[in-house]
Amino acid sequence: MKHVLCVVFAALFMSGCGTMHPRDFADSNRPLDLFDYFEGHTRAWGLFEDRFGKLRRQFHVDIIGTVDGETLVLEESFLYADGERQHRTWTIRRTGESTYSGQADDVVGEAHGETGGNALHWTYSMDLKVGDRRLRVAFDDWMFLQSDGVLLNRARISKFGLEVGSVTLAFRKPWQEPQDAAAASR
């Protein structure tokens, strides 16, 4: 029993060593302002992988963002590869210089986010639709602003602390042309 406790303690200790924090990205020369980025029309392409790395779903999302003072409303329209459509409305409030809270119909309680440099860390619980039922899961979401206005998103999904899958997304303003393509056309 003593060995089992040592292994559990070591695993918990080591998992804490690799934890990222938004402040780790404070020196980025590409700061992410959530309201500026998502105001207007944004498009995203994504996929969901189960905990074994098997691709389960692919989708794209059209997002319309409206800013009113310290509130950002995101209207998200999902279209999955199998033809299913979903809609989600996020209401996100700026709660500090680099902190946010948010709500959506399928989010349990409030989501909490913090930016640092080009990164956003966003955590929340959600009642996720799986077939005909709902499964309460936790999201640990990281977004990183890249060059050319690309925003990469990696969300780890867990239940009872065990990872059940991940979502990967790439966001982009539809009218933005990559700097490399613009330079090549000159």
Side-chain angles (χ1 to χ4, degrees), residues 39-85:
E39 185 171 27
H41 184 201
T42 307
R43 182 164 286 154
W45 298 263
L47 49 90
F48 170 75
E49 296 172 86
D50 67 19
R51 66 181 169 194
F52 305 109
K54 184 173 182 178
L55 182 63
R56 294 295 184 169
R57 295 199 88 179
Q58 297 180 60
F59 57 92
H60 75 265
V61 190
D62 279 302
I63 305 163
I64 302 297
T66 306
V67 175
D68 183 9
E70 297 301 308
T71 303
L72 167 65
V73 175
L74 298 177
E75 297 289 340
E76 300 177 332
S77 297
F78 292 80
L79 177 60
Y80 291 87
D82 63 6
E84 181 183 353
R85 293 181 181 273

Side-chain angles (χ1 to χ4, degrees), residues 108-123:
V108 179
E110 278 193 335
H112 298 280
E114 182 179 356
T115 56
N118 71 323
L120 166 70
H121 184 218
W122 193 241
T123 58

Side-chain angles (χ1 to χ4, degrees), residues 121-140:
H121 184 218
W122 193 241
T123 58
Y124 52 95
S125 293
M126 176 182 278
D127 285 335
L128 187 65
K129 185 180 177 223
V130 180
D132 293 334
R133 60 189 182 115
R134 297 250 174 213
L135 181 66
R136 184 156 298 171
V137 295
F139 276 74
D140 186 4

Side-chain angles (χ1 to χ4, degrees), residues 137-152:
V137 295
F139 276 74
D140 186 4
D141 217 329
W142 280 92
M143 296 181 180
F144 297 94
L145 183 60
Q146 306 296 301
S147 61
D148 298 327
V150 173
L151 183 65
L152 298 179

